Amino acid sequence: MKKYIGNDFVVKGYGDIIHIAGDFPNEYTESNYTKSLRGALAKAKANAGQIIKEMIENAENRRWIENKDLKHKKDASGGWYRYDVGFTVPVECNGEKRRNNYIATAIVRIKGKKLYLYDIVNIKKEASTPL
């Protein structure tokens, strides 16, 4: 996760430039959402950490959410964007290769005119696909 700090990625469909700040790795791995994950979804989120760039570039369905939490008054003064993202994790089970497809929500905080990736949440598995 630390390899992404300081990088910027562009959401192709919107031209939004999303920055990766120093607080991202901690939030990604230590958030209440992450701590609540178990089993395959926890592994999926861990694997998704390897393809943050691709998820951001292909994010869709941007929507704005007002900041209602006082603890984020400064770091998300402009509210939040949520984007739909997807990713695939290859797996092998009993000699059979397949892909597990997931959909999720990327949470992006808005501070001034800058956007910062905050977390990936609401991970849900879709139907698996043979390789």
Side-chain angles (χ1 to χ4, degrees):
M1 300 305 309
K2 291 181 181 180
K3 70 181 180 181
Y4 293 115
I5 295 173
N7 287 311
D8 300 334
F9 303 113
V10 178
V11 180
K12 292 177 186 173
Y14 298 96
D16 295 345
I17 299 170
I18 298 182
H19 306 282
I20 310 297
D23 62 348
F24 171 67
N26 188 48
E27 185 61 34
Y28 188 85
T29 59
E30 298 295 325
S31 69
N32 289 335
Y33 174 77
T34 302
K35 289 177 182 178
S36 72
L37 293 176
R38 300 285 181 260
L41 290 181
K43 288 180 182 180
K45 184 166 184 179
N47 285 326
Q50 303 301 311
I51 55 166
I52 296 295
K53 176 182 187 266
E54 293 80 4
M55 279 196 293
I56 292 173
E57 289 176 342
N58 295 301
E60 299 176 327
N61 191 27
R62 179 183 71 189
R63 56 231 181 252
W64 179 81
I65 306 292
E66 180 182 0
N67 180 35
K68 297 177 183 173
D69 194 339
L70 287 177
K71 76 177 186 177
H72 294 296
K73 186 176 182 179
K74 288 184 180 180
D75 66 348
S77 57
W80 304 86
Y81 278 141
R82 292 178 180 249
Y83 297 84
D84 293 338
V85 295
F87 60 96
T88 300
V89 177
V91 294
E92 186 171 337
C93 184
N94 298 327
E96 178 187 350
K97 292 181 181 182
R98 58 188 169 92
R99 288 182 250 194
N100 286 340
N101 299 314
Y102 295 88
I103 56 171
T105 302
I107 307 295
V108 175
R109 59 186 172 90
I110 306 167
K111 182 177 181 181
K113 294 186 178 190
K114 287 196 167 191
L115 306 177
Y116 298 91
L117 184 60
Y118 188 71
D119 202 0
I120 306 294
V121 298
N122 301 334
I123 299 170
K124 294 181 177 80
K125 183 180 176 189
E126 293 188 317
S128 62
T129 309
L131 290 176

